[in-house]
Amino acid sequence: MATGIKTVSKNEDNFMINMRLMKKTGFYQLLDSRSLKVFGHNVFKCMSVVQMSILSSVAFIFVANIYYFSDDINTVMMYSMLITSDVLSILKLYYILQNSDTIWNCIQMTSIDDLSYKYHDRRILEEGRSKSTSYSILIMFMWLNLIVSWSLGPLFVTNYFLIVEQNDEIYRYRFNIMNFAFPATDRFYNDNFMIYYGIEFITLVLWCHCTMNFDVLLLSMNITFKYQLKTISNSFSAFNFTRYNDFKNNRTKNVKHHKESESMFDFKSLIYDQQRVIENMKNIYRVFRPVVLTQLASESLIIMLLSCIIMLNYFNGISLLSALNLRIFAAISTFLFHIYVICYLFDDVNEQKDSMNLALYSSDWTTSDLQHKILLLHAMRMNNAENLRLQVTRNKIVNFQMFTYVRMIFFSFYYSGYCGHYFY
């Protein structure tokens, strides 16, 4: 079924997502159906298709280089890591393009003014907006820091070469950002090092742009869901039936009926707000689930490959504090922190959603009439039935426990690697 596109103009400052950052990166224009068009097509979507084509070509170059450097296990692992990162960024951009209308509609529901209940504590939503802005800037600088560390490395490491032996000849390629060596000869590559450096730097920026935009959106939406649910939970627990029942004394039956209807209307507004947030979560989870699960698996693999490269470098006499290894450490810490943030925020949303029934029970429902009690019971049953999670398998979900599992594998991998080297 086709999904209508919401084009309601709202104050950008009221959105919990950092709309200014989205506009600066072009992500806003990519999703907005009113953006500049050429021959009926969104210019930014066309540019994204070109971006995907370039990254796809780069993936084929990495595959060719794996064959070319097949005798060097260290280099093969490096190219395997680069292929994994490259394909993951293409997947992220592809899903954004395929679901741009759904994502745009979900973003429109992240405004502070979108909730219908008029007595919500806006300070909680404003706190969430501030946190969303902070996290989006943090994620942006996290990936930019990785770009800087990887792009500066080749400028400082001038005595390290990738060595290929073919047909009784040895080729020595100067170390670069990603080393698009094949099919050039080492002499041609080294003589035109800065040209290759520029091409590889542009490729790195394109990769970062895809990755950063998706992550900013994912984390911002999670923070939005958490604070919207937290606001609704706070309103449930603070809902005061007595405030409406106080009008019963010295009032006519008509006035009494009017006030009781008002209390019912406000309580239904709270339930409606919760249902809309849950529905928005379902839509976003449906879009993000394949990418997030692939991302967690891919980044865990990347961390393992980079760890192997560091250990091999160390065993080959390259210092752990060398520029070559420091940029790999920067990549490992970035991906590890990224997995931590994803698992932490999903765990936060899960906990907040699970607390809704406690908030309902915390309201002064004992002073309400039978109609309100029945409505509250139905709301609690609805929450129990709605077991919305981002599931990896039927029994495993994305939460903080998953990050603990990845971290445990990471450290046990290091420990077994170093112990194996010294004892065998």
Side-chain angles (χ1 to χ4, degrees):
M1 184 174 66
T3 304
I5 303 173
K6 297 182 181 179
T7 56
V8 180
S9 178
K10 298 180 181 178
N11 186 356
E12 290 179 10
D13 293 332
N14 286 339
F15 283 96
M16 297 184 70
I17 292 180
N18 193 340
M19 301 297 274
R20 289 195 178 99
L21 178 61
M22 286 178 62
K23 284 190 172 182
K24 289 178 181 178
T25 60
F27 191 53
Y28 180 94
Q29 294 86 342
L30 173 65
L31 299 175
D32 190 358
S33 60
R34 299 165 296 179
S35 297
L36 179 66
K37 291 181 174 61
V38 175
F39 301 113
H41 297 284
N42 186 325
V43 171
F44 289 87
K45 286 188 177 181
C46 294
M47 293 171 63
S48 296
V49 171
V50 173
Q51 191 172 352
M52 287 175 59
S53 302
I54 293 173
L55 292 174
S56 299
S57 302
V58 169
F60 284 111
I61 292 174
F62 289 148
V63 172
N65 276 278
I66 286 179
Y67 174 76
Y68 192 54
F69 292 97
S70 56
D71 293 334
D72 187 347
I73 185 63
N74 209 347
T75 306
V76 168
M77 285 193 293
M78 179 62 74
Y79 283 122
S80 299
M81 181 277 297
L82 292 172
I83 289 174
T84 306
S85 301
D86 188 42
V87 172
L88 181 59
S89 66
I90 295 171
L91 182 67
K92 289 179 178 180
L93 187 54
Y94 173 77
Y95 266 86
I96 288 173
L97 290 174
Q98 284 291 102
N99 301 278
S100 57
D101 293 344
T102 302
I103 295 171
W104 177 258
N105 289 341
C106 291
I107 288 175
Q108 299 306 305
M109 294 175 64
T110 64
S111 172
I112 288 178
D113 300 323
D114 195 65
L115 300 179
S116 60
Y117 181 63
K118 57 186 176 182
Y119 300 114
H120 281 309
D121 188 351
R122 289 175 62 92
R123 291 173 298 180
I124 299 176
L125 293 171
E126 288 169 358
E127 179 189 348
R129 181 179 60 189
S130 175
K131 189 172 183 179
S132 175
T133 301
S134 300
Y135 265 81
S136 61
I137 293 174
L138 173 65
I139 291 298
M140 182 186 71
F141 277 107
M142 180 188 78
W143 291 121
L144 290 178
N145 178 64
L146 186 62
I147 281 185
V148 170
S149 61
W150 273 66
S151 58
L152 290 182
L155 300 180
F156 291 97
V157 181
T158 58
N159 59 345
Y160 183 78
F161 294 86
L162 298 180
I163 300 174
V164 183
E165 186 174 349
Q166 255 188 359
N167 300 326
D168 297 328
E169 291 187 25
I170 296 177
Y171 300 92
R172 295 165 57 86
Y173 294 88
R174 184 178 165 184
F175 178 69
N176 210 331
I177 299 174
M178 288 176 281
N179 284 98
F180 295 163
F182 183 82
T185 63
D186 56 348
R187 182 175 180 180
F188 181 83
Y189 187 89
N190 296 335
D191 290 344
N192 298 278
F193 175 80
M194 291 309 299
I195 295 176
Y196 275 96
Y197 179 87
I199 295 172
E200 294 178 19
F201 179 76
I202 292 171
T203 303
L204 186 64
V205 170
L206 292 177
W207 169 84
C208 179
H209 183 259
C210 291
T211 302
M212 181 183 68
N213 278 338
F214 181 88
D215 291 339
V216 167
L217 176 65
L218 172 66
L219 301 181
S220 296
M221 291 301 294
N222 270 348
I223 293 170
T224 298
F225 294 147
K226 176 196 172 179
Y227 279 89
Q228 283 181 333
L229 290 173
K230 186 176 181 180
T231 301
I232 296 168
S233 175
N234 179 72
S235 297
F236 270 135
S237 61
F239 196 86
N240 189 357
F241 290 99
T242 308
R243 175 165 60 91
Y244 299 96
N245 293 336
D246 284 343
F247 287 92
K248 288 183 177 181
N249 297 326
N250 302 322
R251 299 289 182 184
T252 64
K253 291 183 178 180
N254 290 335
V255 174
K256 189 193 316 181
H257 175 74
H258 170 72
K259 291 303 174 185
E260 289 172 357
S261 298
E262 183 182 344
S263 68
M264 181 65 73
F265 175 80
D266 286 345
F267 197 73
K268 285 181 177 178
S269 295
L270 278 173
I271 296 175
Y272 174 68
D273 284 342
Q274 182 187 353
Q275 289 177 330
R276 290 184 72 230
V277 172
I278 296 298
E279 188 63 30
N280 207 22
M281 287 175 63
K282 285 181 180 178
N283 292 333
I284 284 293
Y285 280 15
R286 194 178 301 116
V287 173
F288 286 165
R289 184 179 183 275
V291 184
V292 171
L293 299 186
T294 305
Q295 177 170 274
L296 291 173
S298 299
E299 291 187 350
S300 300
L301 174 62
I302 289 169
I303 291 172
M304 295 301 106
L305 289 172
L306 291 173
S307 302
C308 286
I309 293 171
I310 286 181
M311 284 191 288
L312 287 175
N313 285 342
Y314 178 71
F315 298 153
N316 290 331
I318 300 175
S319 171
L320 292 177
L321 298 179
S322 66
L324 185 64
N325 280 330
L326 285 177
R327 77 167 195 162
I328 298 177
F329 275 124
I332 290 175
S333 59
T334 299
F335 284 113
L336 199 60
F337 177 72
H338 186 235
I339 293 175
Y340 164 77
V341 171
I342 291 175
C343 294
Y344 167 76
L345 289 178
F346 272 106
D347 196 53
D348 250 10
V349 174
N350 293 340
E351 287 183 2
Q352 190 60 57
K353 182 182 174 298
D354 291 342
S355 69
M356 298 304 292
N357 273 353
L358 179 60
L360 281 165
Y361 190 79
S362 298
S363 64
D364 64 336
W365 58 273
T366 54
T367 63
S368 65
D369 57 25
L370 181 61
Q371 191 177 12
H372 284 96
K373 290 176 181 176
I374 292 174
L375 184 61
L376 183 141
L377 180 61
H378 283 315
M380 295 179 77
R381 285 176 175 173
M382 179 186 68
N383 290 337
N384 288 332
E386 187 57 75
N387 190 27
L388 182 61
R389 298 284 191 276
L390 194 69
Q391 291 183 304
V392 180
T393 63
R394 182 173 295 181
N395 299 320
K396 289 187 178 182
I397 61 175
V398 178
N399 56 12
F400 194 74
Q401 186 178 357
M402 177 172 286
F403 168 75
T404 306
Y405 177 71
V406 172
R407 185 185 60 182
M408 181 182 66
I409 293 176
F410 171 69
F411 285 114
S412 63
F413 185 80
Y414 258 119
Y415 179 76
S416 61
Y418 282 110
C419 286
H421 173 69
Y422 285 115
F423 287 103
Y424 297 100

PDB file of all heavy atoms in Angstrom, residues 218-242:
ATOM      1  N   LEU A 218      19.537   7.068  12.873  1.00  0.00           N
ATOM      2  CA  LEU A 218      19.199   5.930  13.733  1.00  0.00           C
ATOM      3  C   LEU A 218      19.245   6.309  15.208  1.00  0.00           C
ATOM      4  O   LEU A 218      18.294   6.056  15.962  1.00  0.00           O
ATOM      5  CB  LEU A 218      20.164   4.779  13.448  1.00  0.00           C
ATOM      6  CG  LEU A 218      20.087   3.567  14.381  1.00  0.00           C
ATOM      7  CD1 LEU A 218      18.755   2.848  14.215  1.00  0.00           C
ATOM      8  CD2 LEU A 218      21.244   2.603  14.125  1.00  0.00           C
ATOM      9  N   LEU A 219      20.333   6.934  15.634  1.00  0.00           N
ATOM     10  CA  LEU A 219      20.491   7.264  17.055  1.00  0.00           C
ATOM     11  C   LEU A 219      19.529   8.370  17.474  1.00  0.00           C
ATOM     12  O   LEU A 219      18.986   8.337  18.586  1.00  0.00           O
ATOM     13  CB  LEU A 219      21.936   7.665  17.330  1.00  0.00           C
ATOM     14  CG  LEU A 219      22.989   6.584  17.001  1.00  0.00           C
ATOM     15  CD1 LEU A 219      24.392   7.070  17.327  1.00  0.00           C
ATOM     16  CD2 LEU A 219      22.699   5.299  17.760  1.00  0.00           C
ATOM     17  N   SER A 220      19.302   9.337  16.598  1.00  0.00           N
ATOM     18  CA  SER A 220      18.370  10.421  16.919  1.00  0.00           C
ATOM     19  C   SER A 220      16.946   9.897  17.076  1.00  0.00           C
ATOM     20  O   SER A 220      16.213  10.330  17.972  1.00  0.00           O
ATOM     21  CB  SER A 220      18.411  11.503  15.831  1.00  0.00           C
ATOM     22  OG  SER A 220      19.677  12.112  15.764  1.00  0.00           O
ATOM     23  N   MET A 221      16.543   8.962  16.217  1.00  0.00           N
ATOM     24  CA  MET A 221      15.201   8.393  16.324  1.00  0.00           C
ATOM     25  C   MET A 221      15.061   7.595  17.617  1.00  0.00           C
ATOM     26  O   MET A 221      14.014   7.647  18.288  1.00  0.00           O
ATOM     27  CB  MET A 221      14.910   7.502  15.116  1.00  0.00           C
ATOM     28  CG  MET A 221      14.750   8.239  13.797  1.00  0.00           C
ATOM     29  SD  MET A 221      13.429   9.478  13.780  1.00  0.00           S
ATOM     30  CE  MET A 221      11.975   8.456  13.972  1.00  0.00           C
ATOM     31  N   ASN A 222      16.100   6.860  18.000  1.00  0.00           N
ATOM     32  CA  ASN A 222      16.040   6.101  19.255  1.00  0.00           C
ATOM     33  C   ASN A 222      15.899   7.019  20.460  1.00  0.00           C
ATOM     34  O   ASN A 222      15.128   6.747  21.382  1.00  0.00           O
ATOM     35  CB  ASN A 222      17.300   5.238  19.401  1.00  0.00           C
ATOM     36  CG  ASN A 222      17.126   3.870  18.782  1.00  0.00           C
ATOM     37  OD1 ASN A 222      16.022   3.468  18.446  1.00  0.00           O
ATOM     38  ND2 ASN A 222      18.206   3.149  18.612  1.00  0.00           N
ATOM     39  N   ILE A 223      16.664   8.104  20.467  1.00  0.00           N
ATOM     40  CA  ILE A 223      16.572   9.068  21.568  1.00  0.00           C
ATOM     41  C   ILE A 223      15.188   9.711  21.592  1.00  0.00           C
ATOM     42  O   ILE A 223      14.596   9.924  22.657  1.00  0.00           O
ATOM     43  CB  ILE A 223      17.676  10.135  21.432  1.00  0.00           C
ATOM     44  CG1 ILE A 223      19.045   9.495  21.649  1.00  0.00           C
ATOM     45  CG2 ILE A 223      17.466  11.271  22.428  1.00  0.00           C
ATOM     46  CD1 ILE A 223      20.213  10.399  21.313  1.00  0.00           C
ATOM     47  N   THR A 224      14.661  10.007  20.414  1.00  0.00           N
ATOM     48  CA  THR A 224      13.314  10.586  20.318  1.00  0.00           C
ATOM     49  C   THR A 224      12.274   9.646  20.906  1.00  0.00           C
ATOM     50  O   THR A 224      11.423  10.056  21.703  1.00  0.00           O
ATOM     51  CB  THR A 224      12.964  10.883  18.851  1.00  0.00           C
ATOM     52  OG1 THR A 224      13.888  11.836  18.328  1.00  0.00           O
ATOM     53  CG2 THR A 224      11.550  11.439  18.734  1.00  0.00           C
ATOM     54  N   PHE A 225      12.339   8.363  20.526  1.00  0.00           N
ATOM     55  CA  PHE A 225      11.381   7.384  21.053  1.00  0.00           C
ATOM     56  C   PHE A 225      11.481   7.282  22.573  1.00  0.00           C
ATOM     57  O   PHE A 225      10.453   7.225  23.267  1.00  0.00           O
ATOM     58  CB  PHE A 225      11.637   6.006  20.431  1.00  0.00           C
ATOM     59  CG  PHE A 225      11.367   5.938  18.953  1.00  0.00           C
ATOM     60  CD1 PHE A 225      12.122   5.111  18.133  1.00  0.00           C
ATOM     61  CD2 PHE A 225      10.367   6.703  18.387  1.00  0.00           C
ATOM     62  CE1 PHE A 225      11.870   5.048  16.771  1.00  0.00           C
ATOM     63  CE2 PHE A 225      10.108   6.652  17.016  1.00  0.00           C
ATOM     64  CZ  PHE A 225      10.870   5.827  16.207  1.00  0.00           C
ATOM     65  N   LYS A 226      12.708   7.263  23.076  1.00  0.00           N
ATOM     66  CA  LYS A 226      12.878   7.137  24.522  1.00  0.00           C
ATOM     67  C   LYS A 226      12.221   8.294  25.256  1.00  0.00           C
ATOM     68  O   LYS A 226      11.471   8.096  26.224  1.00  0.00           O
ATOM     69  CB  LYS A 226      14.364   7.072  24.877  1.00  0.00           C
ATOM     70  CG  LYS A 226      14.592   7.041  26.379  1.00  0.00           C
ATOM     71  CD  LYS A 226      16.007   7.351  26.788  1.00  0.00           C
ATOM     72  CE  LYS A 226      16.084   7.496  28.301  1.00  0.00           C
ATOM     73  NZ  LYS A 226      17.462   7.780  28.769  1.00  0.00           N
ATOM     74  N   TYR A 227      12.478   9.522  24.779  1.00  0.00           N
ATOM     75  CA  TYR A 227      11.977  10.685  25.515  1.00  0.00           C
ATOM     76  C   TYR A 227      10.503  10.948  25.255  1.00  0.00           C
ATOM     77  O   TYR A 227       9.819  11.522  26.116  1.00  0.00           O
ATOM     78  CB  TYR A 227      12.842  11.905  25.194  1.00  0.00           C
ATOM     79  CG  TYR A 227      14.115  11.921  26.005  1.00  0.00           C
ATOM     80  CD1 TYR A 227      15.267  11.303  25.550  1.00  0.00           C
ATOM     81  CD2 TYR A 227      14.147  12.515  27.265  1.00  0.00           C
ATOM     82  CE1 TYR A 227      16.427  11.282  26.309  1.00  0.00           C
ATOM     83  CE2 TYR A 227      15.300  12.507  28.033  1.00  0.00           C
ATOM     84  CZ  TYR A 227      16.433  11.888  27.546  1.00  0.00           C
ATOM     85  OH  TYR A 227      17.578  11.866  28.316  1.00  0.00           O
ATOM     86  N   GLN A 228       9.985  10.528  24.128  1.00  0.00           N
ATOM     87  CA  GLN A 228       8.542  10.606  23.931  1.00  0.00           C
ATOM     88  C   GLN A 228       7.828   9.642  24.866  1.00  0.00           C
ATOM     89  O   GLN A 228       6.824   9.998  25.500  1.00  0.00           O
ATOM     90  CB  GLN A 228       8.187  10.301  22.473  1.00  0.00           C
ATOM     91  CG  GLN A 228       8.472  11.453  21.515  1.00  0.00           C
ATOM     92  CD  GLN A 228       8.096  11.130  20.089  1.00  0.00           C
ATOM     93  OE1 GLN A 228       8.086   9.967  19.673  1.00  0.00           O
ATOM     94  NE2 GLN A 228       7.783  12.145  19.301  1.00  0.00           N
ATOM     95  N   LEU A 229       8.352   8.416  24.968  1.00  0.00           N
ATOM     96  CA  LEU A 229       7.766   7.442  25.894  1.00  0.00           C
ATOM     97  C   LEU A 229       7.940   7.883  27.345  1.00  0.00           C
ATOM     98  O   LEU A 229       7.045   7.680  28.176  1.00  0.00           O
ATOM     99  CB  LEU A 229       8.408   6.070  25.687  1.00  0.00           C
ATOM    100  CG  LEU A 229       8.067   5.346  24.381  1.00  0.00           C
ATOM    101  CD1 LEU A 229       8.902   4.080  24.233  1.00  0.00           C
ATOM    102  CD2 LEU A 229       6.579   4.999  24.328  1.00  0.00           C
ATOM    103  N   LYS A 230       9.078   8.487  27.642  1.00  0.00           N
ATOM    104  CA  LYS A 230       9.316   8.981  29.005  1.00  0.00           C
ATOM    105  C   LYS A 230       8.338  10.099  29.355  1.00  0.00           C
ATOM    106  O   LYS A 230       7.831  10.169  30.482  1.00  0.00           O
ATOM    107  CB  LYS A 230      10.756   9.495  29.114  1.00  0.00           C
ATOM    108  CG  LYS A 230      11.168   9.900  30.520  1.00  0.00           C
ATOM    109  CD  LYS A 230      12.634  10.310  30.558  1.00  0.00           C
ATOM    110  CE  LYS A 230      13.056  10.682  31.983  1.00  0.00           C
ATOM    111  NZ  LYS A 230      14.483  11.076  32.025  1.00  0.00           N
ATOM    112  N   THR A 231       8.048  10.966  28.403  1.00  0.00           N
ATOM    113  CA  THR A 231       7.086  12.047  28.614  1.00  0.00           C
ATOM    114  C   THR A 231       5.693  11.491  28.862  1.00  0.00           C
ATOM    115  O   THR A 231       4.978  11.923  29.787  1.00  0.00           O
ATOM    116  CB  THR A 231       7.062  12.988  27.393  1.00  0.00           C
ATOM    117  OG1 THR A 231       8.359  13.535  27.196  1.00  0.00           O
ATOM    118  CG2 THR A 231       6.071  14.121  27.597  1.00  0.00           C
ATOM    119  N   ILE A 232       5.289  10.516  28.042  1.00  0.00           N
ATOM    120  CA  ILE A 232       3.968   9.902  28.196  1.00  0.00           C
ATOM    121  C   ILE A 232       3.886   9.156  29.518  1.00  0.00           C
ATOM    122  O   ILE A 232       2.868   9.223  30.229  1.00  0.00           O
ATOM    123  CB  ILE A 232       3.682   8.962  27.009  1.00  0.00           C
ATOM    124  CG1 ILE A 232       3.607   9.760  25.708  1.00  0.00           C
ATOM    125  CG2 ILE A 232       2.382   8.193  27.222  1.00  0.00           C
ATOM    126  CD1 ILE A 232       3.611   8.911  24.460  1.00  0.00           C
ATOM    127  N   SER A 233       4.963   8.446  29.864  1.00  0.00           N
ATOM    128  CA  SER A 233       5.004   7.723  31.142  1.00  0.00           C
ATOM    129  C   SER A 233       4.853   8.683  32.320  1.00  0.00           C
ATOM    130  O   SER A 233       4.113   8.401  33.275  1.00  0.00           O
ATOM    131  CB  SER A 233       6.323   6.957  31.236  1.00  0.00           C
ATOM    132  OG  SER A 233       6.462   6.338  32.491  1.00  0.00           O
ATOM    133  N   ASN A 234       5.541   9.806  32.245  1.00  0.00           N
ATOM    134  CA  ASN A 234       5.434  10.807  33.309  1.00  0.00           C
ATOM    135  C   ASN A 234       4.016  11.361  33.412  1.00  0.00           C
ATOM    136  O   ASN A 234       3.499  11.576  34.524  1.00  0.00           O
ATOM    137  CB  ASN A 234       6.423  11.941  33.022  1.00  0.00           C
ATOM    138  CG  ASN A 234       6.373  13.039  34.062  1.00  0.00           C
ATOM    139  OD1 ASN A 234       6.816  12.875  35.190  1.00  0.00           O
ATOM    140  ND2 ASN A 234       5.814  14.198  33.685  1.00  0.00           N
ATOM    141  N   SER A 235       3.371  11.564  32.272  1.00  0.00           N
ATOM    142  CA  SER A 235       1.996  12.074  32.278  1.00  0.00           C
ATOM    143  C   SER A 235       1.025  11.036  32.820  1.00  0.00           C
ATOM    144  O   SER A 235       0.066  11.376  33.525  1.00  0.00           O
ATOM    145  CB  SER A 235       1.582  12.487  30.854  1.00  0.00           C
ATOM    146  OG  SER A 235       2.389  13.544  30.386  1.00  0.00           O
ATOM    147  N   PHE A 236       1.263   9.759  32.521  1.00  0.00           N
ATOM    148  CA  PHE A 236       0.421   8.692  33.080  1.00  0.00           C
ATOM    149  C   PHE A 236       0.517   8.664  34.603  1.00  0.00           C
ATOM    150  O   PHE A 236      -0.498   8.612  35.301  1.00  0.00           O
ATOM    151  CB  PHE A 236       0.855   7.331  32.519  1.00  0.00           C
ATOM    152  CG  PHE A 236       0.157   6.929  31.251  1.00  0.00           C
ATOM    153  CD1 PHE A 236       0.876   6.409  30.189  1.00  0.00           C
ATOM    154  CD2 PHE A 236      -1.225   7.060  31.126  1.00  0.00           C
ATOM    155  CE1 PHE A 236       0.242   6.021  29.013  1.00  0.00           C
ATOM    156  CE2 PHE A 236      -1.863   6.678  29.946  1.00  0.00           C
ATOM    157  CZ  PHE A 236      -1.131   6.171  28.886  1.00  0.00           C
ATOM    158  N   SER A 237       1.757   8.680  35.104  1.00  0.00           N
ATOM    159  CA  SER A 237       1.941   8.573  36.556  1.00  0.00           C
ATOM    160  C   SER A 237       1.437   9.807  37.292  1.00  0.00           C
ATOM    161  O   SER A 237       1.045   9.713  38.459  1.00  0.00           O
ATOM    162  CB  SER A 237       3.426   8.344  36.872  1.00  0.00           C
ATOM    163  OG  SER A 237       4.207   9.422  36.402  1.00  0.00           O
ATOM    164  N   ALA A 238       1.442  10.962  36.608  1.00  0.00           N
ATOM    165  CA  ALA A 238       0.984  12.201  37.243  1.00  0.00           C
ATOM    166  C   ALA A 238      -0.489  12.482  36.985  1.00  0.00           C
ATOM    167  O   ALA A 238      -1.010  13.495  37.479  1.00  0.00           O
ATOM    168  CB  ALA A 238       1.825  13.372  36.719  1.00  0.00           C
ATOM    169  N   PHE A 239      -1.140  11.595  36.225  1.00  0.00           N
ATOM    170  CA  PHE A 239      -2.554  11.839  35.892  1.00  0.00           C
ATOM    171  C   PHE A 239      -3.391  11.802  37.161  1.00  0.00           C
ATOM    172  O   PHE A 239      -3.388  10.828  37.907  1.00  0.00           O
ATOM    173  CB  PHE A 239      -3.049  10.789  34.897  1.00  0.00           C
ATOM    174  CG  PHE A 239      -4.336  11.176  34.225  1.00  0.00           C
ATOM    175  CD1 PHE A 239      -4.324  11.970  33.087  1.00  0.00           C
ATOM    176  CD2 PHE A 239      -5.558  10.765  34.735  1.00  0.00           C
ATOM    177  CE1 PHE A 239      -5.502  12.326  32.458  1.00  0.00           C
ATOM    178  CE2 PHE A 239      -6.739  11.117  34.112  1.00  0.00           C
ATOM    179  CZ  PHE A 239      -6.719  11.900  32.976  1.00  0.00           C
ATOM    180  N   ASN A 240      -4.125  12.871  37.404  1.00  0.00           N
ATOM    181  CA  ASN A 240      -4.831  13.063  38.662  1.00  0.00           C
ATOM    182  C   ASN A 240      -6.330  13.033  38.405  1.00  0.00           C
ATOM    183  O   ASN A 240      -6.921  14.016  37.957  1.00  0.00           O
ATOM    184  CB  ASN A 240      -4.423  14.392  39.302  1.00  0.00           C
ATOM    185  CG  ASN A 240      -4.955  14.550  40.709  1.00  0.00           C
ATOM    186  OD1 ASN A 240      -5.680  13.692  41.203  1.00  0.00           O
ATOM    187  ND2 ASN A 240      -4.601  15.653  41.347  1.00  0.00           N
ATOM    188  N   PHE A 241      -6.964  11.873  38.695  1.00  0.00           N
ATOM    189  CA  PHE A 241      -8.406  11.769  38.521  1.00  0.00           C
ATOM    190  C   PHE A 241      -9.145  12.662  39.505  1.00  0.00           C
ATOM    191  O   PHE A 241     -10.239  13.142  39.235  1.00  0.00           O
ATOM    192  CB  PHE A 241      -8.860  10.316  38.712  1.00  0.00           C
ATOM    193  CG  PHE A 241      -8.421   9.400  37.612  1.00  0.00           C
ATOM    194  CD1 PHE A 241      -7.304   8.585  37.761  1.00  0.00           C
ATOM    195  CD2 PHE A 241      -9.113   9.355  36.412  1.00  0.00           C
ATOM    196  CE1 PHE A 241      -6.898   7.734  36.750  1.00  0.00           C
ATOM    197  CE2 PHE A 241      -8.707   8.506  35.392  1.00  0.00           C
ATOM    198  CZ  PHE A 241      -7.607   7.696  35.562  1.00  0.00           C
ATOM    199  N   THR A 242      -8.521  12.911  40.666  1.00  0.00           N
ATOM    200  CA  THR A 242      -9.157  13.731  41.694  1.00  0.00           C
ATOM    201  C   THR A 242      -9.383  15.143  41.192  1.00  0.00           C
ATOM    202  O   THR A 242     -10.358  15.813  41.552  1.00  0.00           O
ATOM    203  CB  THR A 242      -8.279  13.755  42.961  1.00  0.00           C
ATOM    204  OG1 THR A 242      -7.960  12.430  43.341  1.00  0.00           O
ATOM    205  CG2 THR A 242      -8.991  14.468  44.100  1.00  0.00           C
TER     206      THR A 242
END
